[in-house]
Amino acid sequence: MTQGILIKNAYVIDPLSGIRGEIMDIAIRDGRIVEDALPGSEVIDAGGCLTLPGGIDSHSHVCGTKVNFGRYMSPEDMRAGRTSRKGVMHVTSGYSVPTTFGNSYRYSTMGYTTVLEGAMAPLEARHTHEEFTATPHQDMLANTLFDGNWSVMEAVREKDVKRAAAIVAWTLAAVKGFAIKLTNPGGTEAWGWGKDVSHIHDPVPYFEVTPAEIISTMIQANEILRLPHSVHLHCNNLGVPGNFRTTLETMDLAPPAGGDRQTLYLTHVQFHSYGGTTWRDISSKSEEIARSLNSKPQVVIDMGQIMFGRTTTMTADGPMEFKLYMLHHNKWSNHDVELETGSGIIPVYYSRKSLVNCVMWAIGLELALLAKNPWQCLLSTDNPNGAPFVKYPEIIALLMSRRMRENEREEIDPRTEHYVPLFALDRELDWYDIAVMTRAGQAKAMGITRIGKGHLSPGAQADVAIYPLKPDNLDPSVDYQQVMAGFSRTLYTIKRGRVVARDGDVVVEGANSTIWTRSRVPPEYDMGSDPEFTRKFDQYYTVRLRNYPVQDVYLPRGVCIETEAAL
Amino acid sequence: MRIEDVVCPFCGCLCDDLVVSVEGTKVLSVENGCTLATEKFTGDHRLAHPIRRTGGAWEKTTYDDAIRETAEILLDAERPLLYGWSGTFVEAQTLGVHMAELLGAVIDNTSTVCHGPSIMAIQEVGHPGCTLGQVKNRADVIVYWGANPIEAHPRHMSRYTTFTDGFFVKSAFRERKVIVVDIRETDSSEIADEFVKVTPGGDYAVLTALRMIVRGKGDLVPATVSGVTREQLFRVAEICLSARFGAIFFGLGLTMSRGKSKNIRNAIELTEELNRHTKFTISPMRGHWNVYGSNEVFTWITGYPYAVDFSRGIAFYNPGETTSVDLLRRKECDACLVVASDPGAHFPRACAEHLASIPTVQIDPHVNATTHLSRIQIPVAVTGIDAEGTAYRMDGVPIRTRKLFSTGYPDDVAVLGRVYSLVKEAKG
Amino acid sequence: MRVILKTRPRKKPHVPIEAEGIIPQNFLRKNDLTVYEGNRERNLEDLFFVTVEGPAVSPDQVEIILTGDTGRIKRVGEYMNAGRIIIEGDIGMHCGNFMSAGEIIIRGNADAWLGREMRGGRILCEGTAGDYCGAGYRGEKRGMRGGTIEVMGNAGDFVAEYLSGGEVIIHGNCGDLPGVEMRGGTLVIGGNCSRPCGNMTGGTCMVIGDPGELLPSFRRNGSTEVEFGGKKFRMAVFRGDVANRGKGTLLVKEEAIISRSGRDERL
Amino acid sequence: MAISLVAYIREFARWEWARKFLAARTAPLVIPPYFRNYPELTGKTCTHHLFCMMACPAPGAIDVIRTPEGWQPRIHIGHCIRCGLCVEACPNGVLSSGRILESMFRDNTRLSFSFKIDVDLDKCMGCGNCAVACPVNKLIDAQMSHGGRASTDDLLLKLSDGKCRVLHVEKCTGCKTCEHHCPNEAISVARLLEAVHAPEEVP
């Protein structure tokens, strides 16, 4: 193996470095981008093709208990996408919830090198980490669920922000998590009794705290701990017609931060932007949401785009999945996690014939088109909830081509246009916007630019994707088919300085790392020796405190981001 | 030396609060564990070294030779079966699946003879479940259906359900109602508030009747359904409906009786129906301590929880066709590797006979019924005693077992890793 | 065109053969098909003596005759869309999977999953059929969607599970839970069975013999007269399965109900 | 009819009888020290030891119930045989009957309970139901009642080497919860009631 790689004639867009499309060379050595290549480096001629930092998915469900249960309960889904062992590639199966290697290979061939698992229940963190090691071609991060955490809710009730922060710090370090995830805060605890919360001021049974209080406290705790990412929030009332009000109220909870840091990341906002009162009169409220977003630089969202076809929905939002089940009456799995959170899984089919689905489809696109700043609206499908991530290229094409949207308009329920503003939007995103929405924006929002993610400046991690697209002689608004094909399959995907995928095939065994965070707190805030915390742990969990933390052996290449908590 | 918080590698309860005293490589005492746990820690019938059968007799062999011969047997076979896996840890199971991929083998775990039907039912209708702590802290109604936890999971009731106090259940056995459904009185039915005695094979109809009552179609329920009176059915439905949080646990009495997966499906649909009124969950009582781990590993690598056939390169799954018992009954297999389980004791006679007629290799610490069917046996360390690794509790909570001391035995990963590299070498 | 495939003797006769390539449309141009014996890839000729008689211009004109030790051959006729396959003996699992047109005639017995997820065409089995005849795949919500399966002998358990279209006729007895989860189509059972149509939501099932134990979740809804095998029968009509909000129809012989009424308090 | 009535009066209205009836003098009635009436509440605080119930030989004669003021014994007159054992058994003098308390005080006697717990090791599966349900254990070790882990050896019962072991039988209050909840009938509690002279020190 040569010491390095030199990529010549690359059409580089590197938003974080301010490069908006220049033909240049990129030198790689020892897994990092360097100024100059070593003599004898392997030379890759990009031939003017689009070259971007490795793709980053800031919200995807690919590993862990509920994802695996999605696979477990869906042999019919596994019938699609089966490949046999080929070279270094393991067998893969599945379409909407592929096997770990399936996810990894498909992400790799799309140029993705970093993926954040959207929801990890702390108690079952070990499982997520085990699957991370079986998703070998992406660096992984895990959002850790705190939405129904009893200790946190008690701290919120006592209005003790510092204690909440200390609990978060202890938990993230124990389970090797990356950031705070709140999924329907309070609602998952209410679901322990088969209930839900109906708005952000609706108190949680017994704990008598409101979602708004949980969100605000956790935002403060997050900033006290100086975690790289902000609070990552799945709002209350997902998928309920009229829920845009909840979303707007929630956005108002985000305090402004210093600089251009966000204090709140709202995920899959498409599912939270519905007007109307029932499924019959559901309408798009993307304009209201975008207006609020455009006035709040402290908020970042991702789209949560849905795409037509079959998929599997899975979320920690247990009550929502049950409501969905009652609608579809197909199959339903639920998994409550003691003292922490819940989850639910059901398969769905988004149909072009369904007005509701068409409205949902339009809303996601509208959010991306109406958000003035691409750094504030990232591309996602909340894989696999809106659609499997393999649909990203199609979404990119839709965003870049008005013509493609018009063509799609012919295919969908004709009433859609009365409920959505999509077809009035002329905006077509450019290559730069896409680069922001698929990697640079993610890296910035997740706060991992410092460890060399999402950009190509010297010192950065050598995660590079070269797509068979030549922006100089391609008009994406016309040649959207080519855009789609190009983003589906890189010429080269380079991960930490190694070519991992070439022309759609993975060519090496992977060796990913897992990125986690640890906030140093003063000893009096160490929950591991807090009598009240440990007493409750001993009495109410079913595992021993000593058997709870994820051992280092589960992170063979762990990367820890340490912060100093302001406690 | 006293070692605290030891994880028990016996049943699916995976109790992790044992205190084990050891001296050198000997276990002196086990605290907090049940009889089965203590037996596992203190019992000692370990095979000292690999053995192979020549003619009618056993001869001692080396690890090198045994491993090489195992690889050869597997490489020669046209329909090899890799069976077992529930008594070992996740890392070894992972190797097993990768090996099956390369060999074009069928890989199957012990679900095939226990909760395979439950998995099939879950694949039809899903699984509203929860972790055991959720039951401990909230449940006021507990149903054991076709399960006898006292025998098979002795501490289930005292650690997770009936007797343990939880956050919202301060005085457990006074506040929780226990319903036991079975075809006969059992130890567990002794402590039930309501014992429902069903005629053998009648579970499906009883579940159907309960669903009807919960749905408000109770008028159609006849005076007795499979031996259960209409009055009792209504009483049971009323207890369930008035629960704040109910939990159903089902065992082999439901999975392995007439109707099989359809019984479980019906029970799951009853749970779903009850969720329209209150909160209910349902969970299988998994037997082997890490059988759920093998389901998880198989699933994340192949997409299917058990009975995965790689003979065509891709993963194919079809219980009834690719499950071990069916393969052996049809005499399809021409070689078998048994890891950490005892099919000789659990499989029907015809299957065991076929195992004896083909080259069967067993990787297991102990001499057991399968030893008598095997051509080679390779002893390994016992996970949870002299080896460590990940295991999944019956509710999906992963726990790392502890290694109490070192013996000279290699663990499953060491042995399988060497077989795997030989296979990899041969397959290029 | 007539293609005669006679099995060659094998060293390990129990190892299954997967031969989804054996369908009429594949024999129009070439005979070098791949089949699989266990985990080994084989040429058709390795496992069969192949004789081709006469020409054909379309798959409709192709008739395949399978003879010899055929009981271990799986997936024959999978995705078949025209022509005819005649199996002189027994046939292995998954015969006629997904077939959409054409005809399969089995002179012997068929193993499980006969006509799984079948879309159209006709399968005639002169012997007995195994479990899951005319059923679907694990986790899938729809089984057989069209066509006809006729079994002259008995069939196993879970016949026509998830049936959603087409017709399954079993002249003999069925095992447990025939028509379970049925949602459309027609199932006719000439003989006896037990617990028919558990959890059905749609479709029609008719049991001419003894329906064995009936589930409590069916509501009596009058009676009707049907004809089967040239005889007329007076049938009790049930609607259900009410436990599953079902709107299926189950027809059971009136005499069977009367003779049962002693032990079944509901009727 | 009239004649017989007259005869009747004549027979019974004899002077001798009337004189004796009106003029007789006997010693006043004294309640003997051994007389035991239905037990009454003395107003002392019941500590819910249930010794009264355990000592009572008549089925259903005494209950200890929770009232708004706290626990209190309740006597069911129809069942009570007035043996007074409950009065003697109560460690707190909650009940009184006749002069029992008085004479106990005078003679310095009392009834003492002790318990013997037998575990049939052949039947015991080590399920831990008894140890977790045990109300004494519950007071000593919350971890025990929350899932069966013994965090101390001060417990009355715990699992050791796969069987239930009795560690501190002297802590037993004889409630028999363990016995009621043992699925195998492997554990039994014997109550030993004996009269002792002068309250002994609890070892």
Side-chain angles (χ1 to χ4, degrees), chain A residues 497-556:
Chain A
R498 286 197 305 169
V499 174
V500 294
R502 193 184 300 139
D503 291 330
D505 278 339
V506 168
V507 292
V508 292
E509 302 253 13
N512 64 351
S513 50
T514 300
I515 301 161
W516 58 290
T517 52
R518 187 199 337 245
S519 287
R520 273 191 293 271
V521 297
E524 66 269 29
Y525 286 102
D526 175 16
M527 284 294 132
S529 51
D530 180 86
E532 180 63 8
F533 184 82
T534 49
R535 182 185 69 80
K536 290 216 160 123
F537 199 105
D538 283 342
Q539 292 184 9
Y540 304 125
Y541 271 98
T542 52
V543 296
R544 300 278 303 143
L545 182 61
R546 209 154 68 101
N547 289 328
Y548 184 82
V550 173
Q551 292 83 350
D552 291 334
V553 63
Y554 291 96
L555 285 80

Coordinates of all heavy atoms in Angstrom, one line a residue, chain A residues 497-556:
Chain A
G497 N -8.3 8.3 4.4 CA -7.1 8.1 3.6 C -7.0 6.8 2.8 O -6.0 6.5 2.1
R498 N -8.1 6.0 2.9 CA -8.0 4.7 2.1 C -9.2 4.8 1.1 O -10.3 5.2 1.5 CB -8.3 3.5 3.0 CG -7.1 3.2 3.9 CD -7.3 1.7 4.4 NE -8.6 1.6 5.1 CZ -9.1 0.4 5.4 NH1 -8.5 -0.7 5.1 NH2 -10.2 0.4 6.1
V499 N -9.0 4.3 -0.1 CA -10.1 4.1 -1.0 C -10.9 3.0 -0.5 O -10.4 1.8 -0.4 CB -9.6 3.9 -2.4 CG1 -10.8 3.6 -3.3 CG2 -8.8 5.0 -3.0
V500 N -12.2 3.3 -0.1 CA -13.0 2.2 0.4 C -14.0 1.7 -0.6 O -14.4 0.5 -0.6 CB -13.7 2.5 1.7 CG1 -12.7 2.8 2.9 CG2 -14.6 3.7 1.6
A501 N -14.4 2.6 -1.5 CA -15.4 2.1 -2.5 C -15.0 2.7 -3.8 O -14.5 3.9 -3.9 CB -16.8 2.5 -2.1
R502 N -15.2 1.9 -4.8 CA -14.9 2.4 -6.2 C -16.0 1.9 -7.1 O -16.3 0.7 -7.1 CB -13.5 1.8 -6.6 CG -12.9 2.4 -7.9 CD -11.6 1.7 -8.3 NE -10.6 1.8 -7.2 CZ -9.8 0.8 -6.9 NH1 -9.9 -0.3 -7.5 NH2 -8.9 0.9 -5.9
D503 N -16.6 2.8 -7.9 CA -17.6 2.5 -8.8 C -18.7 1.5 -8.2 O -19.1 0.6 -8.9 CB -17.0 1.8 -10.0 CG -16.2 2.7 -10.8 OD1 -16.5 3.9 -10.8 OD2 -15.2 2.3 -11.4
G504 N -19.1 1.8 -7.0 CA -20.2 1.1 -6.5 C -19.8 -0.2 -5.8 O -20.7 -0.9 -5.2
D505 N -18.5 -0.5 -5.7 CA -18.1 -1.7 -5.0 C -17.2 -1.3 -3.8 O -16.3 -0.4 -4.0 CB -17.3 -2.7 -5.9 CG -18.3 -3.5 -6.7 OD1 -19.4 -3.6 -6.3 OD2 -17.8 -4.0 -7.7
V506 N -17.4 -1.9 -2.7 CA -16.5 -1.7 -1.6 C -15.3 -2.6 -1.7 O -15.4 -3.7 -2.1 CB -17.3 -2.0 -0.3 CG1 -16.3 -2.0 0.9 CG2 -18.4 -0.9 0.0
V507 N -14.1 -2.0 -1.5 CA -12.9 -2.7 -1.9 C -12.0 -3.0 -0.8 O -11.0 -3.7 -0.9 CB -12.1 -1.9 -3.0 CG1 -12.9 -1.9 -4.3 CG2 -11.8 -0.5 -2.5
V508 N -12.3 -2.5 0.4 CA -11.5 -2.9 1.5 C -12.4 -3.3 2.7 O -13.5 -2.9 2.8 CB -10.5 -1.8 2.0 CG1 -9.5 -1.5 1.0 CG2 -11.3 -0.5 2.3
E509 N -11.7 -4.0 3.7 CA -12.4 -4.2 4.9 C -12.4 -2.9 5.7 O -11.4 -2.2 5.7 CB -11.7 -5.3 5.8 CG -11.5 -6.6 5.1 CD -12.4 -7.7 5.6 OE1 -13.3 -7.4 6.4 OE2 -12.1 -8.9 5.3
G510 N -13.5 -2.6 6.3 CA -13.6 -1.3 7.0 C -13.0 -1.4 8.4 O -12.8 -2.4 9.0
A511 N -12.7 -0.2 8.9 CA -12.3 -0.1 10.3 C -12.7 1.3 10.7 O -12.0 2.3 10.6 CB -10.8 -0.2 10.4
N512 N -13.9 1.4 11.2 CA -14.5 2.8 11.5 C -14.1 3.2 12.9 O -13.5 2.4 13.7 CB -16.0 2.8 11.4 CG -16.6 1.8 12.4 OD1 -16.0 1.0 13.1 ND2 -17.9 1.9 12.5
S513 N -14.4 4.4 13.3 CA -14.2 4.8 14.7 C -15.5 5.3 15.2 O -16.4 5.6 14.4 CB -13.1 5.8 14.8 OG -13.3 6.9 13.9
T514 N -15.7 5.3 16.5 CA -16.9 5.8 17.1 C -16.6 7.1 17.9 O -15.6 7.1 18.6 CB -17.5 4.7 18.0 OG1 -17.7 3.6 17.3 CG2 -18.7 5.2 18.7
I515 N -17.3 8.1 17.6 CA -17.0 9.4 18.2 C -18.0 9.6 19.4 O -19.2 9.5 19.2 CB -17.2 10.5 17.2 CG1 -16.2 10.2 16.0 CG2 -16.9 11.9 17.8 CD1 -16.5 11.0 14.8
W516 N -17.4 9.9 20.5 CA -18.3 10.1 21.7 C -17.8 11.3 22.5 O -16.7 11.8 22.2 CB -18.4 8.8 22.6 CG -17.1 8.3 23.1 CD1 -16.1 7.7 22.3 CD2 -16.6 8.3 24.4 NE1 -15.0 7.3 23.1 CE2 -15.3 7.7 24.4 CE3 -17.1 8.8 25.6 CZ2 -14.6 7.5 25.6 CZ3 -16.4 8.6 26.8 CH2 -15.1 8.0 26.8
T517 N -18.5 11.7 23.5 CA -18.2 12.9 24.2 C -18.1 12.6 25.7 O -18.8 11.8 26.2 CB -19.2 14.0 24.0 OG1 -20.5 13.5 24.3 CG2 -19.1 14.5 22.5
R518 N -17.2 13.4 26.3 CA -17.1 13.3 27.8 C -16.9 14.7 28.3 O -16.0 15.4 27.9 CB -15.9 12.4 28.2 CG -16.0 12.2 29.7 CD -14.7 11.7 30.4 NE -13.7 11.1 29.6 CZ -13.3 9.8 29.8 NH1 -14.0 9.1 30.7 NH2 -12.4 9.3 29.1
S519 N -17.8 15.1 29.2 CA -17.6 16.4 29.8 C -17.0 16.2 31.2 O -17.6 15.4 32.0 CB -19.0 17.1 30.0 OG -19.5 17.5 28.8
R520 N -16.0 16.8 31.4 CA -15.4 16.7 32.8 C -16.2 17.6 33.7 O -16.4 18.8 33.5 CB -13.9 17.2 32.7 CG -13.0 16.0 32.4 CD -11.5 16.4 32.6 NE -11.1 17.5 31.7 CZ -10.6 17.3 30.5 NH1 -10.4 16.1 30.1 NH2 -10.3 18.3 29.7
V521 N -16.6 17.0 34.8 CA -17.4 17.7 35.8 C -16.7 17.6 37.1 O -15.9 16.7 37.4 CB -18.8 17.1 36.0 CG1 -19.6 17.2 34.7 CG2 -18.8 15.7 36.5
P522 N -16.9 18.6 38.0 CA -16.3 18.6 39.3 C -16.8 17.3 40.1 O -17.9 16.9 39.8 CB -16.7 19.8 40.0 CG -17.4 20.7 39.0 CD -17.7 19.8 37.8
P523 N -16.0 16.8 41.1 CA -16.3 15.6 41.7 C -17.7 15.6 42.4 O -18.4 14.6 42.4 CB -15.3 15.4 42.8 CG -14.2 16.4 42.5 CD -14.7 17.4 41.5
E524 N -18.1 16.8 42.9 CA -19.5 16.8 43.5 C -20.6 16.6 42.5 O -21.7 16.3 42.9 CB -19.7 18.0 44.4 CG -19.7 19.4 43.6 CD -18.4 20.0 43.4 OE1 -17.3 19.3 43.4 OE2 -18.3 21.3 43.3
Y525 N -20.3 16.7 41.2 CA -21.3 16.4 40.2 C -21.1 15.1 39.5 O -21.7 14.8 38.5 CB -21.3 17.6 39.2 CG -21.9 18.8 39.7 CD1 -21.1 19.9 40.1 CD2 -23.3 19.0 39.8 CE1 -21.7 21.1 40.6 CE2 -23.9 20.1 40.3 CZ -23.1 21.2 40.7 OH -23.6 22.3 41.2
D526 N -20.3 14.3 40.1 CA -20.1 12.9 39.5 C -21.2 12.0 40.0 O -21.3 11.6 41.2 CB -18.7 12.3 40.0 CG -18.6 10.9 39.5 OD1 -19.4 10.5 38.6 OD2 -17.7 10.2 40.0
M527 N -22.1 11.7 39.1 CA -23.3 11.0 39.5 C -23.0 9.5 39.9 O -23.7 8.9 40.6 CB -24.3 10.9 38.3 CG -25.1 12.2 38.1 SD -26.1 12.5 39.6 CE -25.7 14.2 39.9
G528 N -21.9 9.0 39.4 CA -21.5 7.7 39.8 C -21.3 7.5 41.3 O -21.3 6.4 41.8
S529 N -21.1 8.6 42.0 CA -20.9 8.5 43.5 C -22.0 9.4 44.2 O -21.8 9.6 45.4 CB -19.5 8.9 43.9 OG -19.2 10.1 43.3
D530 N -23.0 9.7 43.5 CA -24.1 10.5 44.1 C -25.1 9.5 44.8 O -25.6 8.6 44.2 CB -24.9 11.3 43.0 CG -26.0 12.1 43.6 OD1 -25.7 13.2 44.0 OD2 -27.1 11.6 43.6
P531 N -25.2 9.7 46.1 CA -26.0 8.6 46.8 C -27.4 8.5 46.3 O -27.9 7.4 46.2 CB -26.0 9.1 48.3 CG -25.4 10.5 48.3 CD -24.7 10.7 47.0
E532 N -28.1 9.6 46.0 CA -29.5 9.5 45.6 C -29.6 8.9 44.2 O -30.4 8.0 44.0 CB -30.1 11.0 45.5 CG -31.5 11.1 45.1 CD -32.5 10.4 46.0 OE1 -32.1 9.9 47.1 OE2 -33.7 10.2 45.6
F533 N -28.7 9.2 43.3 CA -28.7 8.7 42.0 C -28.4 7.2 42.0 O -29.1 6.4 41.4 CB -27.6 9.4 41.1 CG -27.6 9.0 39.7 CD1 -28.5 9.5 38.8 CD2 -26.7 8.0 39.2 CE1 -28.4 9.1 37.4 CE2 -26.6 7.6 37.9 CZ -27.5 8.2 37.0
T534 N -27.4 6.8 42.8 CA -27.0 5.4 42.8 C -28.1 4.6 43.5 O -28.4 3.4 43.2 CB -25.7 5.1 43.5 OG1 -25.7 5.8 44.7 CG2 -24.6 5.6 42.6
R535 N -28.7 5.2 44.6 CA -29.8 4.4 45.3 C -30.9 4.1 44.3 O -31.4 3.0 44.2 CB -30.3 5.3 46.4 CG -31.4 4.6 47.3 CD -32.0 5.5 48.3 NE -32.8 6.5 47.8 CZ -34.1 6.4 47.4 NH1 -34.6 5.2 47.4 NH2 -34.7 7.4 46.9
K536 N -31.4 5.1 43.6 CA -32.5 4.9 42.6 C -32.1 3.9 41.6 O -32.9 3.1 41.1 CB -32.8 6.3 42.0 CG -33.5 7.2 43.0 CD -34.6 8.0 42.3 CE -35.6 8.5 43.3 NZ -35.7 9.9 43.3
F537 N -30.8 4.0 41.1 CA -30.4 3.1 40.1 C -30.5 1.7 40.6 O -31.1 0.8 39.9 CB -28.9 3.4 39.7 CG -28.5 2.8 38.4 CD1 -28.3 3.6 37.3 CD2 -28.3 1.5 38.3 CE1 -28.0 3.1 36.1 CE2 -27.9 0.9 37.1 CZ -27.8 1.7 36.0
D538 N -29.9 1.4 41.8 CA -30.0 0.1 42.4 C -31.4 -0.5 42.5 O -31.6 -1.6 42.4 CB -29.3 0.1 43.8 CG -27.8 0.2 43.7 OD1 -27.3 -0.2 42.6 OD2 -27.2 0.6 44.7
Q539 N -32.3 0.4 42.8 CA -33.7 -0.1 43.1 C -34.5 -0.2 41.9 O -35.4 -1.0 41.8 CB -34.3 0.9 44.1 CG -33.7 0.7 45.5 CD -34.3 1.6 46.5 OE1 -35.4 2.1 46.3 NE2 -33.7 1.7 47.7
Y540 N -34.4 0.7 40.9 CA -35.3 0.7 39.8 C -34.8 0.1 38.5 O -35.6 -0.4 37.7 CB -35.9 2.1 39.6 CG -36.5 2.6 41.0 CD1 -36.1 3.7 41.5 CD2 -37.4 1.8 41.6 CE1 -36.7 4.2 42.7 CE2 -38.0 2.1 42.8 CZ -37.6 3.3 43.4 OH -38.1 3.7 44.6
Y541 N -33.6 0.1 38.2 CA -33.1 -0.5 37.0 C -33.1 -2.1 37.3 O -33.0 -2.5 38.4 CB -31.7 -0.1 36.7 CG -31.6 1.2 35.8 CD1 -31.4 2.4 36.3 CD2 -31.8 1.0 34.4 CE1 -31.4 3.6 35.5 CE2 -31.7 2.1 33.6 CZ -31.6 3.4 34.2 OH -31.5 4.5 33.3
T542 N -33.0 -2.8 36.2 CA -32.8 -4.2 36.4 C -31.4 -4.7 36.0 O -31.2 -5.9 35.9 CB -33.8 -5.0 35.5 OG1 -33.7 -4.5 34.1 CG2 -35.2 -4.8 35.9
V543 N -30.5 -3.8 35.8 CA -29.1 -4.1 35.7 C -28.4 -3.4 36.8 O -28.8 -2.3 37.3 CB -28.5 -3.8 34.3 CG1 -29.1 -4.6 33.2 CG2 -28.5 -2.3 34.0
R544 N -27.2 -3.9 37.1 CA -26.5 -3.3 38.2 C -25.7 -2.1 37.6 O -25.3 -2.1 36.4 CB -25.5 -4.3 38.8 CG -26.1 -5.5 39.4 CD -26.7 -5.3 40.8 NE -25.6 -4.8 41.6 CZ -25.7 -3.9 42.6 NH1 -26.9 -3.3 42.8 NH2 -24.7 -3.6 43.4
L545 N -25.5 -1.1 38.4 CA -24.8 0.1 38.0 C -23.4 -0.3 37.4 O -23.0 0.3 36.4 CB -24.6 1.0 39.2 CG -24.0 2.4 39.0 CD1 -24.8 3.2 38.0 CD2 -23.8 3.1 40.3
R546 N -22.8 -1.3 38.0 CA -21.5 -1.6 37.5 C -21.5 -2.3 36.1 O -20.6 -2.3 35.4 CB -20.8 -2.5 38.5 CG -19.2 -2.4 38.5 CD -18.7 -2.7 39.8 NE -18.9 -4.2 40.1 CZ -17.9 -5.0 39.9 NH1 -16.7 -4.7 39.6 NH2 -18.1 -6.3 40.2
N547 N -22.6 -2.9 35.8 CA -22.8 -3.6 34.5 C -23.4 -2.7 33.4 O -23.6 -3.1 32.3 CB -23.6 -4.8 34.6 CG -22.9 -5.9 35.4 OD1 -21.6 -6.0 35.4 ND2 -23.6 -6.7 36.2
Y548 N -23.6 -1.4 33.8 CA -24.3 -0.5 32.9 C -23.4 0.1 31.9 O -23.7 0.1 30.7 CB -25.1 0.5 33.7 CG -26.0 1.5 33.0 CD1 -27.2 1.2 32.6 CD2 -25.5 2.8 32.8 CE1 -28.1 2.1 32.0 CE2 -26.3 3.7 32.2 CZ -27.6 3.4 31.8 OH -28.4 4.3 31.2
P549 N -22.3 0.7 32.3 CA -21.4 1.4 31.4 C -20.9 0.5 30.3 O -20.6 -0.6 30.5 CB -20.3 2.0 32.2 CG -20.8 2.0 33.6 CD -21.8 0.8 33.7
V550 N -20.8 1.1 29.1 CA -20.2 0.4 27.9 C -18.7 0.3 28.1 O -18.0 1.3 28.2 CB -20.6 1.1 26.6 CG1 -19.9 0.5 25.4 CG2 -22.1 1.1 26.5
Q551 N -18.2 -0.9 28.1 CA -16.8 -1.1 28.3 C -16.0 -0.6 27.1 O -16.5 -0.6 25.9 CB -16.4 -2.5 28.6 CG -16.9 -3.1 29.9 CD -18.4 -3.5 29.9 OE1 -19.1 -3.3 28.9 NE2 -18.8 -4.2 30.9
D552 N -14.8 -0.2 27.2 CA -13.9 0.3 26.1 C -13.8 -0.8 25.0 O -13.6 -0.4 23.8 CB -12.5 0.7 26.6 CG -12.6 1.9 27.5 OD1 -13.6 2.7 27.3 OD2 -11.7 2.1 28.4
V553 N -13.9 -2.0 25.4 CA -13.7 -3.1 24.3 C -14.7 -2.9 23.2 O -14.5 -3.4 22.1 CB -13.7 -4.5 25.0 CG1 -15.1 -4.7 25.6 CG2 -13.4 -5.5 24.0
Y554 N -15.8 -2.3 23.5 CA -16.8 -2.1 22.4 C -16.5 -1.0 21.4 O -17.2 -0.8 20.4 CB -18.2 -1.9 23.0 CG -18.7 -3.1 23.7 CD1 -18.6 -3.3 25.1 CD2 -19.3 -4.1 23.0 CE1 -19.0 -4.4 25.7 CE2 -19.8 -5.3 23.7 CZ -19.6 -5.4 25.0 OH -20.0 -6.5 25.6
L555 N -15.5 -0.2 21.8 CA -15.1 0.9 20.9 C -13.6 0.7 20.5 O -12.8 1.4 21.1 CB -15.3 2.3 21.5 CG -16.7 2.8 21.7 CD1 -17.4 2.2 22.8 CD2 -16.7 4.3 21.8
P556 N -13.4 -0.2 19.6 CA -12.0 -0.5 19.3 C -11.2 0.7 18.8 O -10.0 0.8 19.0 CB -12.0 -1.6 18.3 CG -13.4 -1.6 17.8 CD -14.3 -1.1 18.9

